[in-house]
Amino acid sequence: MSTYHLSRRSVLAGTAAVAAVVSLPSIQGRAAAASPAKGGYRWRNAVQGGTGFISGVLFHPSVKGLAYLRTDIGGAYRWDDRRDRWIPLTDHIGWDDWNLLGVEAMAVDPAHPDRVYLALGTYAQSWAGNGAVLRSQDRGATWQRTDLTVKLGANEDGRGCGERLLVDPRDSDTLWLGTRHDGLLRSTDRGASWQTVSFPAAPSATGQGITLLVAAGRSVYAGWGDSDGTSANLYRTADGATWEAVPGQPAGTAARVPVRAAYDRHARELYVTYANAPGPNGQSDGSVHKLHVGNGKWRDITPVKPGGTTADGSADSFGYGGVAVDARRPGTLVVSTNNRWADIDTVFRSTDGGRTWTSLKDRAVFDVSETPYLNWGGDKPKFGWWIQALALDPYDSRHVVYGTGATLYGTRDLKHWAPQIRGVEEASVRQLISPPTGTAHLLSGSGDIGVMYHERLTASPSRGMASNPVFGTATGLSLAAAKPSYVVRAGWGDHGNGAWSDDGGKTWTPFEAQPDIARTAPGPIATNADGSVLLWSFGTGNPGYRSADNGAGWSEVTTFPKGATPVADPVDPARFYAFDTTTGTLHASTDSGKTFTARATGLNSGDTEFQLVSAPGRSGDLWLSLKWNGLYRSTDGGATFSKVSSCRASYTLGFGKAAEGAAYPAVYMVGSTETVTAVYRSDDEAKTWTRINDDRHQWGWIGAAIAGDPRVHGRVYIATNGRGVQYGEPV
């Protein structure tokens, strides 16, 4: 359920050559003037555990314990069977290539176990860059890249379909790639170059195109997602040159979009799941069919027909998603429902080719102790939702895994399930706080999973998501600098949109009241230095609101710049600041947020995105990141600003514990000193910078938030858009 991205201005420009090949990992542009950190940095995830949509899982058919996983915005992973965890494979993707962190499809070569291929591209929109194919001969340890002239859409509708990438069963040098809007591509040199080939169905500018490619013996089958329910939606080729519609294929609304397919080579049967929409959302009908490829006969084997009613009278609408066959037991397979909200999704299992089915949900026992957020604020974990990724271990018939909008569940006995997600972190993180005191060194606010209290960085927070209320997506997080036990948060929720904590974020109390607009446009929130006043903003064009009684009552602040983000002075409780991007003006309040007046003007950002931060322990010391327009600083409470000459661009800025002997806090920045956008630290008040990440640790777009640890010099936390919270420490 990951739908978050960044400013369209920072997308990768489209490439013109189909076969532009580069070796990876690499970074765009020439070397920065800043020197790398002496001794380097060690980078790890602050463990949350999954937290995003798993769009595909693929066991290697020839190697026991080898599997790959893809996500919609957070890259790809390889399973390390010895360490019992997933290894990230695409963290080398840099700032300029952010659109390549979404994985549209993946493929393995059954005859060459070390070969793996990824089709990358998060959005197929006009403002997004073109896709690319990565190929590896060492299971993803190193990559070569070919840029495409077409766009892929790993975070668009249909992202759980597939796989759209396939190694030809007749020739390991030949690969097929199905696209959404540009037909069928083929490579005859193991992915180094690609050409468009003839395909019977015409691409649609707004459609799904080819949804899946699967080998059945020596033939290749392709699903077509733009059928109207009467025209063909499944094609095949026996010679790699000519394609034909498969005779006798199912039709109608319930079989409009072929979602996934799996081939039972022993029984010579191809199983296909269908829905009336590509999913993962929007499906209300679906079916499961099988084709005997020898005699051409089709059979409807749908476990449960959508369209009934649940016990409480709700409509039981859903589609079908994943399908996987047992490589060792002919006729044994699993399929999943998808988008079944009323009666909850399930995985059905059959041992007789789909004649009879058993719902694995009916006797499922869950253990989510390793990732407690799956209790969703105290509720028992449900079987799942958005189940399109489904896989069956070819070496263990009772080892089944399936992805949801938040995790990957696995079982070894078809009854007991637990997250098999260790190593995967896919949160789209928006806010970070590193408190100066208390148990937790980190509080985070994310899309979909709200706010978390990280009492340990190496384990998923024991309290899970902040509750009372539970937020789907966090929009604001603020700590009182002079009273760090007091924290406030805001976000999207069904039972209130704001809450406060007086124990550093361990427990929360909802605001007694909130402005009406908070239900439809919750935005950033700030508390002043001593926690006595709150300022809450509600998006472009909307006024800000103030509370002086811990959220019991709110009043509109007419002079607050509409839609601005409030920032509190860390020393003086009477001071707040806000930057108006429409006019490039800094506004300040000296009466605890009752009124605001304009101060410095002409600070044009060139975009609606910016970041204003105040240096800890210093009143009126403000830093303003204006993206490619640079970094500015004020030491007089925003009356005047001076440009910081040591950096060319600044996207997000934060502070941490000062270096030994230094009088000023360490400054951390995502930005560039010359041409390379990277992570930097300055221990001399931004006079000079040291790059602290490297080419293997870039994580695409990382412009939302950065925070140094006020208790540990050198430790820094970075918010990523799909790879969770990354934290680094000097080594």
Side-chain angles (χ1 to χ4, degrees):
M1 205 156 48
S2 306
T3 57
Y4 317 103
H5 66 283
L6 50 147
S7 167
R8 298 178 181 180
R9 292 285 300 273
S10 58
V11 300
L12 170 68
T15 53
V18 174
V21 180
V22 295
S23 295
L24 295 175
S26 65
I27 189 167
Q28 303 297 315
R30 58 192 176 91
S35 59
K38 293 181 180 179
Y41 257 63
R42 181 185 182 187
W43 292 97
R44 289 172 286 181
N45 268 114
V47 175
Q48 292 168 287
T51 70
F53 181 48
I54 307 301
S55 49
V57 180
L58 189 61
F59 282 103
H60 198 285
S62 308
V63 180
K64 185 177 182 180
L66 179 60
Y68 295 90
L69 177 153
R70 64 177 169 96
T71 66
D72 50 5
I73 64 170
Y77 297 78
R78 182 187 69 246
W79 179 252
D80 187 328
D81 208 35
R82 293 176 300 173
R83 298 170 59 193
D84 196 33
R85 66 183 300 108
W86 295 95
I87 306 301
L89 300 178
T90 49
D91 283 356
H92 61 269
I93 292 173
W95 178 273
D96 292 337
D97 287 341
W98 69 267
N99 192 53
L100 300 183
L101 258 186
V103 184
E104 177 86 294
M106 54 190 176
V108 297
D109 187 337
H112 298 86
D114 291 340
R115 295 180 186 172
V116 60
Y117 303 89
L118 302 176
L120 308 180
T122 311
Y123 298 101
Q125 307 304 311
S126 59
W127 43 263
N130 290 336
V133 172
L134 298 188
R135 60 192 190 277
S136 173
Q137 299 191 77
D138 51 17
R139 305 187 185 187
T142 60
W143 298 95
Q144 287 186 302
R145 167 177 150 185
T146 295
D147 290 329
L148 302 173
T149 57
V150 303
K151 299 178 188 298
L152 305 180
N155 194 35
E156 299 192 349
D157 285 349
R159 57 193 182 273
C161 295
E163 294 293 327
R164 288 177 163 97
L165 183 64
L166 179 71
V167 175
D168 192 286
R170 298 172 299 267
D171 178 12
S172 288
D173 288 346
T174 298
L175 276 73
W176 300 91
L177 174 60
T179 73
R180 294 165 177 266
H181 311 304
D182 298 279
L184 183 64
L185 306 183
R186 180 176 62 189
S187 171
T188 57
D189 52 13
R190 279 186 268 158
S193 61
W194 294 85
Q195 299 80 36
T196 303
V197 298
S198 177
F199 191 76
S204 167
T206 59
Q208 283 293 309
I210 295 170
T211 58
L212 65 87
L213 292 163
V214 63
R218 294 178 63 81
S219 296
V220 174
Y221 287 74
W224 184 251
D226 295 339
S227 169
D228 60 5
T230 60
S231 58
N233 57 34
L234 192 67
Y235 296 85
R236 70 184 174 196
T237 180
D239 58 8
T242 57
W243 291 82
E244 63 173 357
V246 179
Q249 61 186 268
T253 301
R256 193 177 73 79
V257 179
V259 177
R260 284 186 173 268
Y263 180 61
D264 185 333
R265 62 185 179 88
H266 299 290
R268 298 189 67 197
E269 291 179 327
L270 180 69
Y271 296 90
V272 186
T273 57
Y274 290 92
N276 62 340
N281 55 284
Q283 294 177 341
S284 59
D285 200 1
S287 58
V288 183
H289 297 260
K290 72 173 180 179
L291 166 69
H292 192 286
V293 301
N295 60 29
K297 292 184 178 180
W298 283 91
R299 182 180 175 185
D300 186 341
I301 58 168
T302 307
V304 174
K305 299 287 186 181
T309 57
T310 64
D312 64 0
S314 301
D316 188 20
S317 62
F318 57 93
Y320 278 89
V323 57
V325 299
D326 192 324
R328 296 176 175 268
R329 298 182 180 183
T332 296
L333 71 152
V334 287
V335 300
S336 67
T337 63
N338 185 71
N339 206 49
R340 192 183 195 185
W341 295 101
D343 204 32
I344 309 302
D345 279 304
T346 187
V347 171
F348 289 103
R349 182 174 184 261
S350 175
T351 59
D352 54 13
R355 291 180 179 86
T356 61
W357 295 92
T358 300
S359 172
L360 299 184
K361 176 181 68 175
D362 295 344
R363 67 187 195 109
V365 177
F366 283 91
D367 177 2
V368 298
S369 57
E370 190 168 325
T371 52
Y373 76 91
L374 291 169
N375 287 310
W376 302 113
D379 293 339
K380 292 182 179 180
K382 294 179 173 60
F383 198 84
W385 75 99
W386 282 14
I387 304 176
Q388 292 188 295
L390 177 65
L392 204 163
D393 190 336
Y395 291 87
D396 182 352
S397 297
R398 299 171 74 81
H399 183 199
V400 179
V401 297
Y402 68 89
T404 76
T407 192
L408 180 78
Y409 282 116
T411 182
R412 300 272 182 177
D413 62 5
L414 304 180
K415 178 180 180 180
H416 296 89
W417 299 83
Q420 195 171 334
I421 202 72
R422 193 174 298 166
V424 177
E425 301 291 347
E426 203 197 347
S428 174
V429 186
R430 280 87 180 284
Q431 300 97 21
L432 296 172
I433 291 176
S434 185
T437 60
T439 302
H441 279 248
L442 178 67
L443 302 178
S444 67
S446 300
D448 290 344
I449 57 168
V451 171
M452 287 189 175
Y453 177 89
H454 302 258
E455 68 269 66
R456 294 169 58 196
L457 299 176
T458 55
S460 186
S462 63
R463 297 176 177 273
M465 299 164 56
S467 57
N468 200 22
V470 172
F471 292 158
T473 291
T475 60
L477 186 62
S478 178
L479 175 147
K483 186 184 177 183
S485 62
Y486 185 79
V487 191
V488 294
R489 61 186 176 97
W492 291 92
D494 295 331
H495 304 286
N497 302 91
W500 59 272
S501 171
D502 60 4
D503 56 12
K506 291 181 183 179
T507 61
W508 296 86
T509 302
F511 295 150
E512 289 184 30
Q514 63 181 34
D516 289 341
I517 197 173
R519 291 192 297 270
T520 56
I525 194 168
T527 176
N528 65 348
D530 63 7
S532 61
V533 174
L534 308 179
L535 281 181
W536 201 351
S537 181
F538 298 100
T540 303
N542 294 315
Y545 282 79
R546 176 181 185 271
S547 175
D549 52 12
N550 210 32
W554 297 86
S555 58
E556 182 180 335
V557 181
T558 58
T559 53
F560 181 84
K562 291 184 177 181
T565 298
V567 175
D569 190 279
V571 176
D572 186 349
R575 292 193 181 194
F576 281 97
Y577 310 97
F579 181 64
D580 185 351
T581 58
T582 60
T583 62
T585 302
L586 190 286
H587 295 255
S589 171
T590 57
D591 57 4
S592 300
K594 295 177 183 177
T595 60
F596 281 79
T597 57
R599 292 197 172 181
T601 60
L603 299 165
N604 295 317
S605 69
D607 202 296
T608 58
E609 295 185 9
F610 72 98
Q611 188 184 71
L612 177 69
V613 293
S614 55
R618 289 155 174 80
S619 183
D621 190 350
L622 304 176
W623 297 72
L624 180 62
S625 295
L626 293 179
K627 301 178 73 172
W628 50 83
N629 285 317
L631 176 64
Y632 292 78
R633 183 184 181 189
S634 172
T635 56
D636 54 14
T640 60
F641 278 85
S642 299
K643 190 169 186 178
V644 178
S645 61
S646 59
C647 72
R648 182 184 64 88
S650 179
Y651 299 94
T652 183
L653 198 81
F655 301 91
K657 184 178 181 179
E660 186 176 353
Y664 199 82
V667 185
Y668 297 92
M669 178 182 71
V670 174
S672 61
T673 57
E674 286 192 356
T675 60
V676 177
T677 300
V679 184
Y680 296 90
R681 188 188 81 222
S682 174
D683 291 326
D684 58 8
E685 219 164 327
K687 295 181 178 65
T688 62
W689 299 91
T690 298
R691 183 184 175 189
I692 58 175
N693 71 326
D694 54 51
D695 290 0
R696 295 183 63 85
H697 300 91
Q698 300 192 78
W699 319 288
W701 186 79
I702 50 175
I706 189 170
D709 194 307
R711 291 176 268 181
V712 183
H713 174 255
R715 181 188 289 175
V716 60
Y717 307 95
I718 299 172
T720 75
N721 186 53
R723 280 288 287 121
V725 178
Q726 299 286 336
Y727 74 99
E729 296 177 300
V731 294

